[in-house]
Amino acid sequence: SPHVMSDIGRHARGHAVRLRSIRRLGGRRGCGTRLRFRLPPLQVGEAVTEWLRAAPEPPAVVLLDCLTLLANNVVVPLPEDLRPEEAEAALAPEIVALAEAIKRSGLDWIVVSNEVGLGIVPPYPLGRAYRDALGRANQRMAALADRVFFMVAGLPMTVKA
């Protein structure tokens, strides 16, 4: 099951979603073997399923960094005047496919996402639609997760244990 971490103050616009597989977690820097895989900007659930199927050995932990970029890749190309429900409907298949990939894998996951609902309300429709769609995606991932952490100033706050 995934652990969802929401990170305030982290912005990475226009980059592909990254997936890291940590095969062995070591106590010191450089102690573990790490496999990295750059996912396509869309159809992340399908891509990660194929990547895990082709892996010579299943990883101990999968780190998906980050859900925010996936939402960006889906919502930003949409028309500027879309309604929040349209953005949520466009993002939903990606989130459902990712959730199914997580469940099927049987592995431990860490899913990173940004909290975008605590600040100023965006002054334009696309920004509001993006904020709402990502918020719903975060809720879906949090519901699936065993544990959820909210990171503030580098300190984890337990939301769900």
Side-chain angles (χ1 to χ4, degrees):
S1 294
H3 306 301
V4 176
M5 300 178 71
S6 180
D7 185 12
I8 289 183
R10 217 182 115 138
H11 299 282
R13 188 177 168 132
H15 298 289
V17 177
R18 289 177 294 164
L19 175 82
R20 294 183 199 150
S21 166
I22 304 166
R23 294 174 57 87
R24 188 180 54 139
L25 298 174
R28 293 181 322 209
R29 186 179 196 100
C31 271
T33 303
R34 291 189 175 109
L35 303 174
R36 291 180 183 217
F37 177 66
R38 184 171 294 275
L39 291 168
L42 298 171
Q43 299 177 329
V44 170
E46 294 86 356
V48 72
T49 297
E50 289 302 315
W51 178 73
L52 289 170
R53 190 174 297 137
E57 184 179 330
V61 177
V62 178
L63 170 63
L64 180 71
D65 185 12
C66 79
L67 199 61
T68 309
L69 295 176
L70 177 58
N72 180 74
N73 294 339
V74 171
V75 176
V76 169
L78 298 174
E80 180 71 27
D81 61 348
L82 85 157
R83 296 185 333 267
E85 307 82 50
E86 295 170 318
E88 290 173 33
L91 183 56
E94 288 283 348
I95 300 305
V96 167
L98 178 59
E100 289 173 2
I102 290 170
K103 289 177 196 174
R104 272 194 314 266
S105 75
L107 300 171
D108 288 328
W109 285 65
I110 299 171
V111 178
V112 179
S113 187
N114 291 17
E115 168 53 57
V116 293
L118 292 176
I120 271 184
V121 174
Y124 49 95
L126 182 61
R128 290 189 298 274
Y130 172 80
R131 177 202 58 195
D132 291 352
L134 178 57
R136 296 273 190 255
N138 286 341
Q139 288 175 6
R140 286 183 173 180
M141 285 290 115
L144 177 65
D146 293 330
R147 295 187 288 172
V148 178
F149 301 97
F150 182 60
M151 302 295 292
V152 178
L155 302 173
M157 296 173 59
T158 301
V159 176
K160 180 180 175 182

